[in-house]
mmCIF file of all heavy atoms in Angstrom:
data_model
loop_
_atom_site.group_PDB
_atom_site.id
_atom_site.type_symbol
_atom_site.label_atom_id
_atom_site.label_comp_id
_atom_site.label_asym_id
_atom_site.label_seq_id
_atom_site.Cartn_x
_atom_site.Cartn_y
_atom_site.Cartn_z
ATOM 1 N N ARG A 106 16.643 14.406 2.273
ATOM 2 C CA ARG A 106 17.332 13.690 3.351
ATOM 3 C C ARG A 106 16.681 13.910 4.714
ATOM 4 O O ARG A 106 17.141 13.370 5.709
ATOM 5 C CB ARG A 106 18.796 14.130 3.398
ATOM 6 C CG ARG A 106 19.591 13.739 2.156
ATOM 7 C CD ARG A 106 21.057 14.103 2.330
ATOM 8 N NE ARG A 106 21.840 13.681 1.168
ATOM 9 C CZ ARG A 106 23.154 13.861 1.063
ATOM 10 N NH1 ARG A 106 23.818 14.452 2.067
ATOM 11 N NH2 ARG A 106 23.797 13.450 -0.014
ATOM 12 N N GLU A 107 15.632 14.692 4.748
ATOM 13 C CA GLU A 107 14.964 14.968 6.015
ATOM 14 C C GLU A 107 14.084 13.794 6.428
ATOM 15 O O GLU A 107 13.411 13.189 5.606
ATOM 16 C CB GLU A 107 14.105 16.226 5.912
ATOM 17 C CG GLU A 107 14.901 17.504 5.723
ATOM 18 C CD GLU A 107 13.989 18.716 5.727
ATOM 19 O OE1 GLU A 107 13.366 18.988 6.775
ATOM 20 O OE2 GLU A 107 13.873 19.366 4.671
ATOM 21 N N ARG A 108 14.096 13.479 7.699
ATOM 22 C CA ARG A 108 13.265 12.422 8.277
ATOM 23 C C ARG A 108 12.620 12.981 9.540
ATOM 24 O O ARG A 108 13.305 13.462 10.425
ATOM 25 C CB ARG A 108 14.115 11.188 8.638
ATOM 26 C CG ARG A 108 14.943 10.631 7.487
ATOM 27 C CD ARG A 108 14.060 9.886 6.497
ATOM 28 N NE ARG A 108 14.858 9.266 5.451
ATOM 29 C CZ ARG A 108 15.181 9.849 4.310
ATOM 30 N NH1 ARG A 108 14.810 11.111 4.102
ATOM 31 N NH2 ARG A 108 15.889 9.213 3.402
ATOM 32 N N LYS A 109 11.298 12.892 9.610
ATOM 33 C CA LYS A 109 10.592 13.421 10.762
ATOM 34 C C LYS A 109 9.592 12.404 11.294
ATOM 35 O O LYS A 109 9.087 11.557 10.544
ATOM 36 C CB LYS A 109 9.847 14.719 10.407
ATOM 37 C CG LYS A 109 10.758 15.864 9.966
ATOM 38 C CD LYS A 109 9.949 17.102 9.632
ATOM 39 C CE LYS A 109 10.831 18.248 9.143
ATOM 40 N NZ LYS A 109 11.708 18.758 10.225
ATOM 41 N N SER A 110 9.314 12.508 12.568
ATOM 42 C CA SER A 110 8.309 11.675 13.209
ATOM 43 C C SER A 110 7.206 12.588 13.721
ATOM 44 O O SER A 110 7.486 13.625 14.345
ATOM 45 C CB SER A 110 8.925 10.885 14.369
ATOM 46 O OG SER A 110 7.925 10.190 15.083
ATOM 47 N N ALA A 111 5.956 12.208 13.450
ATOM 48 C CA ALA A 111 4.833 13.050 13.855
ATOM 49 C C ALA A 111 3.722 12.196 14.458
ATOM 50 O O ALA A 111 3.471 11.079 14.004
ATOM 51 C CB ALA A 111 4.298 13.838 12.654
ATOM 52 N N ARG A 112 3.080 12.734 15.457
ATOM 53 C CA ARG A 112 1.926 12.086 16.063
ATOM 54 C C ARG A 112 0.675 12.545 15.325
ATOM 55 O O ARG A 112 0.418 13.746 15.205
ATOM 56 C CB ARG A 112 1.827 12.476 17.529
ATOM 57 C CG ARG A 112 0.614 11.931 18.262
ATOM 58 C CD ARG A 112 0.804 10.495 18.633
ATOM 59 N NE ARG A 112 -0.346 9.988 19.395
ATOM 60 C CZ ARG A 112 -0.472 8.735 19.792
ATOM 61 N NH1 ARG A 112 0.481 7.865 19.524
ATOM 62 N NH2 ARG A 112 -1.521 8.341 20.473
ATOM 63 N N CYS A 113 -0.093 11.595 14.798
ATOM 64 C CA CYS A 113 -1.346 11.940 14.130
ATOM 65 C C CYS A 113 -2.430 12.046 15.199
ATOM 66 O O CYS A 113 -2.816 11.050 15.818
ATOM 67 C CB CYS A 113 -1.724 10.896 13.085
ATOM 68 S SG CYS A 113 -3.286 11.277 12.240
ATOM 69 N N MET A 114 -2.924 13.261 15.420
ATOM 70 C CA MET A 114 -3.924 13.489 16.451
ATOM 71 C C MET A 114 -5.334 13.185 15.951
ATOM 72 O O MET A 114 -6.188 12.744 16.713
ATOM 73 C CB MET A 114 -3.848 14.948 16.922
ATOM 74 C CG MET A 114 -2.432 15.398 17.296
ATOM 75 S SD MET A 114 -1.636 14.342 18.529
ATOM 76 C CE MET A 114 -2.659 14.688 19.942
ATOM 77 N N GLN A 115 -5.573 13.437 14.678
ATOM 78 C CA GLN A 115 -6.902 13.187 14.117
ATOM 79 C C GLN A 115 -6.779 13.153 12.599
ATOM 80 O O GLN A 115 -5.980 13.880 12.008
ATOM 81 C CB GLN A 115 -7.884 14.292 14.537
ATOM 82 C CG GLN A 115 -9.331 14.003 14.197
ATOM 83 C CD GLN A 115 -10.279 15.067 14.739
ATOM 84 O OE1 GLN A 115 -9.843 16.119 15.216
ATOM 85 N NE2 GLN A 115 -11.572 14.803 14.676
ATOM 86 N N SER A 116 -7.558 12.297 11.953
ATOM 87 C CA SER A 116 -7.556 12.236 10.490
ATOM 88 C C SER A 116 -8.926 11.815 10.009
ATOM 89 O O SER A 116 -9.671 11.126 10.716
ATOM 90 C CB SER A 116 -6.486 11.250 9.988
ATOM 91 O OG SER A 116 -6.731 9.943 10.484
ATOM 92 N N LYS A 117 -9.267 12.236 8.797
ATOM 93 C CA LYS A 117 -10.562 11.885 8.232
ATOM 94 C C LYS A 117 -10.512 11.992 6.718
ATOM 95 O O LYS A 117 -9.620 12.639 6.150
ATOM 96 C CB LYS A 117 -11.655 12.793 8.791
ATOM 97 C CG LYS A 117 -11.462 14.275 8.514
ATOM 98 C CD LYS A 117 -12.539 15.112 9.194
ATOM 99 C CE LYS A 117 -12.327 16.598 8.948
ATOM 100 N NZ LYS A 117 -13.368 17.422 9.641
ATOM 101 N N VAL A 118 -11.478 11.362 6.082
ATOM 102 C CA VAL A 118 -11.559 11.393 4.627
ATOM 103 C C VAL A 118 -12.157 12.717 4.182
ATOM 104 O O VAL A 118 -13.115 13.218 4.776
ATOM 105 C CB VAL A 118 -12.436 10.231 4.117
ATOM 106 C CG1 VAL A 118 -12.641 10.324 2.607
ATOM 107 C CG2 VAL A 118 -11.805 8.896 4.473
ATOM 108 N N HIS A 119 -11.573 13.298 3.147
ATOM 109 C CA HIS A 119 -12.100 14.533 2.564
ATOM 110 C C HIS A 119 -12.036 14.385 1.047
ATOM 111 O O HIS A 119 -10.961 14.500 0.451
ATOM 112 C CB HIS A 119 -11.286 15.742 3.016
ATOM 113 C CG HIS A 119 -11.744 17.047 2.428
ATOM 114 N ND1 HIS A 119 -12.939 17.636 2.772
ATOM 115 C CD2 HIS A 119 -11.168 17.854 1.504
ATOM 116 C CE1 HIS A 119 -13.086 18.769 2.100
ATOM 117 N NE2 HIS A 119 -12.009 18.920 1.315
ATOM 118 N N ALA A 120 -13.193 14.097 0.422
ATOM 119 C CA ALA A 120 -13.234 13.822 -1.017
ATOM 120 C C ALA A 120 -12.294 12.667 -1.336
ATOM 121 O O ALA A 120 -12.403 11.619 -0.744
ATOM 122 C CB ALA A 120 -12.906 15.083 -1.814
ATOM 123 N N ASP A 121 -11.336 12.872 -2.225
ATOM 124 C CA ASP A 121 -10.389 11.815 -2.575
ATOM 125 C C ASP A 121 -9.078 11.927 -1.804
ATOM 126 O O ASP A 121 -8.079 11.319 -2.175
ATOM 127 C CB ASP A 121 -10.089 11.842 -4.075
ATOM 128 C CG ASP A 121 -11.286 11.387 -4.898
ATOM 129 O OD1 ASP A 121 -12.095 10.609 -4.369
ATOM 130 O OD2 ASP A 121 -11.406 11.832 -6.055
ATOM 131 N N THR A 122 -9.057 12.720 -0.761
ATOM 132 C CA THR A 122 -7.841 12.914 0.016
ATOM 133 C C THR A 122 -8.114 12.568 1.491
ATOM 134 O O THR A 122 -9.234 12.244 1.882
ATOM 135 C CB THR A 122 -7.344 14.368 -0.075
ATOM 136 O OG1 THR A 122 -8.310 15.241 0.554
ATOM 137 C CG2 THR A 122 -7.154 14.794 -1.525
ATOM 138 N N ILE A 123 -7.062 12.651 2.270
ATOM 139 C CA ILE A 123 -7.161 12.518 3.725
ATOM 140 C C ILE A 123 -6.672 13.824 4.325
ATOM 141 O O ILE A 123 -5.645 14.362 3.900
ATOM 142 C CB ILE A 123 -6.267 11.360 4.246
ATOM 143 C CG1 ILE A 123 -6.639 10.036 3.580
ATOM 144 C CG2 ILE A 123 -6.357 11.265 5.766
ATOM 145 C CD1 ILE A 123 -7.959 9.461 3.981
ATOM 146 N N VAL A 124 -7.399 14.357 5.269
ATOM 147 C CA VAL A 124 -6.918 15.537 5.984
ATOM 148 C C VAL A 124 -6.619 15.120 7.410
ATOM 149 O O VAL A 124 -7.303 14.266 7.984
ATOM 150 C CB VAL A 124 -7.924 16.705 5.946
ATOM 151 C CG1 VAL A 124 -8.070 17.215 4.514
ATOM 152 C CG2 VAL A 124 -9.282 16.290 6.497
ATOM 153 N N ALA A 125 -5.572 15.714 7.971
ATOM 154 C CA ALA A 125 -5.125 15.268 9.293
ATOM 155 C C ALA A 125 -4.550 16.419 10.105
ATOM 156 O O ALA A 125 -4.048 17.403 9.557
ATOM 157 C CB ALA A 125 -4.074 14.174 9.139
ATOM 158 N N ARG A 126 -4.646 16.252 11.414
ATOM 159 C CA ARG A 126 -4.045 17.205 12.349
ATOM 160 C C ARG A 126 -2.893 16.494 13.039
ATOM 161 O O ARG A 126 -3.079 15.453 13.671
ATOM 162 C CB ARG A 126 -5.090 17.666 13.371
ATOM 163 C CG ARG A 126 -4.575 18.670 14.377
ATOM 164 C CD ARG A 126 -5.749 19.339 15.106
ATOM 165 N NE ARG A 126 -6.536 18.354 15.837
ATOM 166 C CZ ARG A 126 -6.305 17.995 17.102
ATOM 167 N NH1 ARG A 126 -5.256 18.517 17.755
ATOM 168 N NH2 ARG A 126 -7.081 17.134 17.720
ATOM 169 N N LEU A 127 -1.694 17.051 12.887
ATOM 170 C CA LEU A 127 -0.497 16.458 13.470
ATOM 171 C C LEU A 127 -0.075 17.236 14.702
ATOM 172 O O LEU A 127 -0.148 18.475 14.719
ATOM 173 C CB LEU A 127 0.641 16.455 12.443
ATOM 174 C CG LEU A 127 0.364 15.753 11.112
ATOM 175 C CD1 LEU A 127 1.584 15.853 10.205
ATOM 176 C CD2 LEU A 127 -0.028 14.301 11.322
ATOM 177 N N GLY A 128 0.370 16.527 15.725
ATOM 178 C CA GLY A 128 0.856 17.188 16.923
ATOM 179 C C GLY A 128 2.034 18.092 16.589
ATOM 180 O O GLY A 128 2.963 17.686 15.891
ATOM 181 N N GLY A 129 1.987 19.331 17.054
ATOM 182 C CA GLY A 129 3.069 20.269 16.785
ATOM 183 C C GLY A 129 2.856 21.115 15.554
ATOM 184 O O GLY A 129 3.648 22.000 15.256
ATOM 185 N N CYS A 130 1.795 20.833 14.806
ATOM 186 C CA CYS A 130 1.474 21.631 13.609
ATOM 187 C C CYS A 130 0.220 22.433 13.946
ATOM 188 O O CYS A 130 -0.897 21.912 13.876
ATOM 189 C CB CYS A 130 1.239 20.696 12.422
ATOM 190 S SG CYS A 130 1.057 21.544 10.835
ATOM 191 N N GLU A 131 0.407 23.693 14.336
ATOM 192 C CA GLU A 131 -0.681 24.455 14.950
ATOM 193 C C GLU A 131 -1.328 25.513 14.054
ATOM 194 O O GLU A 131 -2.390 26.023 14.399
ATOM 195 C CB GLU A 131 -0.156 25.144 16.222
ATOM 196 C CG GLU A 131 0.460 24.183 17.237
ATOM 197 C CD GLU A 131 -0.546 23.181 17.786
ATOM 198 O OE1 GLU A 131 -1.746 23.480 17.723
ATOM 199 O OE2 GLU A 131 -0.125 22.104 18.253
ATOM 200 N N ASP A 132 -0.699 25.861 12.940
ATOM 201 C CA ASP A 132 -1.295 26.918 12.120
ATOM 202 C C ASP A 132 -1.011 26.672 10.639
ATOM 203 O O ASP A 132 -0.338 25.708 10.264
ATOM 204 C CB ASP A 132 -0.786 28.298 12.545
ATOM 205 C CG ASP A 132 0.735 28.400 12.532
ATOM 206 O OD1 ASP A 132 1.363 27.802 11.630
ATOM 207 O OD2 ASP A 132 1.313 29.059 13.419
ATOM 208 N N ARG A 133 -1.548 27.527 9.821
ATOM 209 C CA ARG A 133 -1.430 27.376 8.369
ATOM 210 C C ARG A 133 0.029 27.416 7.921
ATOM 211 O O ARG A 133 0.437 26.646 7.046
ATOM 212 C CB ARG A 133 -2.224 28.480 7.663
ATOM 213 C CG ARG A 133 -2.192 28.409 6.138
ATOM 214 C CD ARG A 133 -3.092 27.322 5.610
ATOM 215 N NE ARG A 133 -3.004 27.206 4.161
ATOM 216 C CZ ARG A 133 -3.873 26.511 3.424
ATOM 217 N NH1 ARG A 133 -4.889 25.895 3.999
ATOM 218 N NH2 ARG A 133 -3.731 26.432 2.123
ATOM 219 N N ASN A 134 0.819 28.272 8.504
ATOM 220 C CA ASN A 134 2.231 28.361 8.117
ATOM 221 C C ASN A 134 2.949 27.043 8.375
ATOM 222 O O ASN A 134 3.751 26.577 7.562
ATOM 223 C CB ASN A 134 2.927 29.496 8.873
ATOM 224 C CG ASN A 134 2.488 30.869 8.398
ATOM 225 O OD1 ASN A 134 2.009 31.010 7.273
ATOM 226 N ND2 ASN A 134 2.621 31.868 9.251
#
Side-chain angles (χ1 to χ4, degrees):
R106 295 185 178 181
E107 293 184 65
R108 305 286 184 270
K109 298 180 182 293
S110 174
R112 177 78 177 177
C113 180
M114 310 305 293
Q115 190 175 10
S116 60
K117 60 184 179 181
V118 175
H119 178 69
D121 290 333
T122 66
I123 302 290
V124 294
R126 181 165 61 90
L127 304 179
C130 188
E131 304 297 337
D132 55 37
R133 181 76 183 193
N134 289 337

